[in-house]
Amino acid sequence: MSHPIAMPQFAVITGAQVRHALQGREHEMVALVEDAYRLHSAGDSVNPPSYFLRFPDRPASRIIALPASIGGRLRVDGVKWVSSFPGNVALGIPRASAVLILNDQDTGYPFACLESSIISATRTAALAASAADWLSRDRQRPARVGFFGAGLIARYIHTFLVGTGWTFDEVGIFDVSAASAAGFGRYLQRSAPDSVITVHDTAELLIRSSDLVVFATVASQPHVSELRWFEHHPLVLHVSLRDLAPEILLAAGNIVDDIDHCLKASTSPHLAEQLSGNRDFLLGTLADVMAGRVKPTAERPLVFSPFGLGVLDLAVGKYVYDQVSRSGDLHVVDDFFHELDRYG
Ligand SMILES: NC(=O)c1ccc[n+]([C@@H]2O[C@H](COP(=O)([O-])OP(=O)(O)OC[C@H]3O[C@@H](n4cnc5c(N)ncnc54)[C@H](O)[C@@H]3O)[C@@H](O)[C@H]2O)c1
């Protein structure tokens, strides 16, 4: 005999609620994202390729769907729908906007829609901070960080690095927009007053003066191709995925989050595969490093290219949902599901 189930409900969670649930929880988010990433790497997930909606009349813009399902104790399905409209920045609003829909694994019913630009930035920064930690264990821990591209993702990554115990003697900035560099500089002065903050005039100076380089631009094709700039063998978090010429990746050690995802969509690793005709330039995944199967050395630059996995959005989104539910502040939309009696 089947048991009656609770009537499905649908809740909307605002950006203010998301921020309140996540603020100051950098350690917890890194642990959560690492757990979800390990579940994914162990096969307890479904994470099909992201679907890119592009527009012939607006080639700089795109909207991406990231459907996913994660098992373990998280048990949730869903989809992130995230827009990137770089022209927004000139209008005074962020480039990216997003919603995350969570679906119940027993009934399939969507049960929440969450503002998700904060969730997306959080999971990206949490995995970047995790990678910085794991990938610097066999090299001198970087004390000079350089941000190549100084937008929202750069700010979140800095917050997550500092929030998980990193300290930097020097923080460098390079951005093609003077306004972005200045804005990020003001954020750093407030949040890291003990660091020496330098806005560099050239990409070369930024890279040469950083042991940890964070790429967070919106470049759609490689614009950094001088291998000599990397002769001090920095650790590179290549979060924006398309900045480095394939020749640089072929001369570096390369770690990705997920091989099949990352070698797509004209990312630099994808171009490196096309140029070399094979995947030999990859050392493995971050999961391989976490499990001790791969040990990157400090004898050449080390580049981490994370494609960004929908399962990580689900993990952070479900965490936020549970927090807001427990606090009693869930905004349930009355009568959202209306046709619930099969025969009327
Ligand atoms: N891999 C992932 O999981 C993941 C997740 C989220 C975002 N991202 C990527 O992170 C990047 C940054 O996102 P954001 O929200 O911070 O964007 P943003 O628009 O807020 O900031 C991007 C900054 O890069 C600068 N920039 C653009 N081209 C540059 C260049 N050639 N050299 C130097 N600076 C340059 C811009 O002036 C801007 O200040 C995007 O490419 C986004 O797709 C990746």
Side-chain angles (χ1 to χ4, degrees):
M1 199 180 114
S2 63
H3 296 283
I5 59 161
M7 277 298 140
Q9 286 191 331
F10 190 78
V12 173
I13 297 181
T14 66
Q17 289 178 301
V18 173
R19 180 142 170 84
H20 182 70
L22 296 179
Q23 198 159 24
R25 303 201 180 231
E26 288 84 13
H27 275 293
E28 207 176 337
M29 284 307 104
V30 170
L32 176 76
V33 161
E34 283 188 356
D35 279 355
Y37 177 63
R38 281 195 177 96
L39 278 175
H40 168 72
S41 303
D44 200 357
S45 71
V46 185
N47 202 130
S50 302
Y51 188 86
F52 285 67
L53 179 65
R54 297 188 195 275
F55 317 99
D57 57 332
R58 289 163 284 153
S61 302
R62 61 175 192 229
I63 312 182
I64 311 177
L66 289 84
S69 170
I70 186 130
R73 62 184 170 79
L74 294 169
R75 288 200 81 246
V76 67
D77 305 334
V79 62
K80 179 172 74 168
W81 183 232
V82 54
S83 312
S84 171
F85 279 53
N88 284 356
V89 174
L91 303 175
I93 55 174
R95 173 192 64 84
S97 57
V99 291
L100 177 69
I101 301 289
L102 299 179
N103 292 72
D104 180 86
Q105 284 206 338
D106 295 322
T107 64
Y109 268 75
F111 61 89
C113 174
L114 297 87
E115 193 290 329
S116 197
S117 66
I118 298 169
I119 289 169
S120 191
T122 295
R123 67 85 151 131
T124 303
L127 195 71
S130 166
D133 177 30
W134 283 98
L135 298 179
S136 60
R137 291 187 183 187
D138 286 317
R139 57 174 59 222
Q140 194 171 1
R141 198 167 160 94
R144 303 178 305 161
V145 63
F147 288 90
F148 201 128
L152 184 110
I153 293 294
R155 170 161 67 83
Y156 266 76
I157 291 175
H158 181 267
T159 301
F160 267 78
L161 289 169
V162 171
T164 53
W166 287 76
T167 53
F168 299 106
D169 302 334
E170 293 174 34
V171 186
I173 308 169
F174 175 73
D175 196 298
V176 287
S177 152
S180 292
F184 188 57
R186 285 194 296 277
Y187 151 77
L188 289 173
Q189 273 156 9
R190 285 195 308 273
S191 65
D194 296 336
S195 303
V196 175
I197 300 159
T198 308
V199 177
H200 292 284
D201 294 334
T202 66
E204 176 176 3
L205 276 176
L206 177 93
I207 292 172
R208 284 194 184 274
S209 55
S210 309
D211 314 312
L212 175 62
V213 184
V214 179
F215 279 94
T217 74
V218 287
S220 57
Q221 53 194 31
H223 53 97
V224 173
S225 54
E226 286 290 347
L227 190 53
R228 287 174 300 123
W229 298 356
F230 297 83
E231 60 198 2
H232 57 302
H233 303 166
L235 173 58
V236 179
L237 303 178
H238 188 212
V239 177
S240 37
L241 291 166
R242 295 176 183 85
D243 303 274
L244 295 172
E247 292 80 0
I248 293 197
L249 296 200
L250 295 180
N254 289 278
I255 300 290
V256 297
D257 55 350
D258 180 297
I259 293 175
D260 290 331
H261 282 263
C262 204
L263 271 63
K264 279 201 175 82
S266 301
T267 62
S268 298
H270 189 200
L271 301 182
E273 180 186 31
Q274 288 168 342
L275 184 65
S276 66
N278 59 56
R279 296 181 169 186
D280 296 350
F281 65 97
L282 293 177
L283 294 174
T285 64
L286 184 60
D288 292 328
V289 176
M290 290 169 162
R293 292 186 292 270
V294 167
K295 268 194 170 298
T297 68
E299 284 152 22
R300 50 187 176 153
L302 182 59
V303 181
F304 175 60
S305 301
F307 192 76
L309 298 165
V311 289
L312 305 187
D313 294 292
L314 289 185
V316 177
K318 182 63 168 41
Y319 173 93
V320 170
Y321 177 86
D322 290 342
Q323 289 285 106
V324 176
S325 285
R326 269 197 292 273
S327 72
D329 292 332
L330 202 58
H331 300 315
V332 172
V333 181
D334 290 337
D335 298 325
F336 187 83
F337 297 112
H338 188 63
E339 196 68 85
L340 290 170
D341 184 341
R342 194 163 188 221
Y343 299 107

